[in-house]
Amino acid sequence: MERALVNDAIEALEEANRRLLVDGLTPSEVNELLTRYARAEKLAAYGRTVLAGRAHDARTVARVTGTSVGRARRTVDTAKTLKDTPGLAEALRCGDVSSDQAEVIA
């Protein structure tokens, strides 16, 4: 079930990106779309973080996510902290905080 939902979300974002024409957008429209994309990124960060915690290996996480090994280690460490901080885990899951914010709070 989760895979199908994630695949649908990816397909929707891919289509949104194909249709995204930034020329001619008003500042208000730019702000609205930027806010929506930031929200999508925050929501995806939860899955990326908790799955990185299950992967355990920072090198694998780095390769899959296209980040540095140092960044991947911090993501794995944040995932471990989420187990002991349910409020932070919920905030990340709901997109109320970004992965960067969660890392600092953790």
Side-chain angles (χ1 to χ4, degrees), residues 85-101:
T85 53
L88 179 57
E90 179 68 7
L92 185 60
R93 185 187 66 76
C94 293
D96 294 335
V97 297
S98 68
S99 58
D100 288 344
Q101 291 169 320

Side-chain angles (χ1 to χ4, degrees), residues 32-46:
E32 177 186 348
L33 283 170
L34 182 58
T35 299
R36 302 307 296 163
Y37 271 90
R39 175 123 176 93
E41 188 174 333
K42 286 179 181 180
L43 290 168
Y46 173 77

Side-chain angles (χ1 to χ4, degrees), residues 18-40:
R18 279 191 291 277
R19 294 182 185 192
L20 182 61
L21 303 173
V22 296
D23 294 335
L25 291 176
T26 66
S28 176
E29 291 169 327
V30 167
N31 189 47
E32 177 186 348
L33 283 170
L34 182 58
T35 299
R36 302 307 296 163
Y37 271 90
R39 175 123 176 93

Side-chain angles (χ1 to χ4, degrees), residues 1-83:
M1 182 64 166
E2 295 87 6
R3 290 182 194 136
L5 289 172
V6 172
N7 288 340
D8 290 346
I10 290 168
E11 288 177 15
L13 280 170
E14 288 172 341
E15 183 62 24
N17 287 346
R18 279 191 291 277
R19 294 182 185 192
L20 182 61
L21 303 173
V22 296
D23 294 335
L25 291 176
T26 66
S28 176
E29 291 169 327
V30 167
N31 189 47
E32 177 186 348
L33 283 170
L34 182 58
T35 299
R36 302 307 296 163
Y37 271 90
R39 175 123 176 93
E41 188 174 333
K42 286 179 181 180
L43 290 168
Y46 173 77
R48 185 181 64 238
T49 301
V50 297
L51 291 169
R54 294 284 296 177
H56 300 292
D57 177 31
R59 291 188 194 282
T60 299
V61 174
R63 182 180 46 78
V64 171
T65 61
T67 60
S68 69
V69 173
R71 177 73 182 126
R73 277 192 192 107
R74 291 190 300 275
T75 301
V76 170
D77 290 345
T78 299
K80 291 176 184 175
T81 303
L82 292 179
K83 294 175 184 177

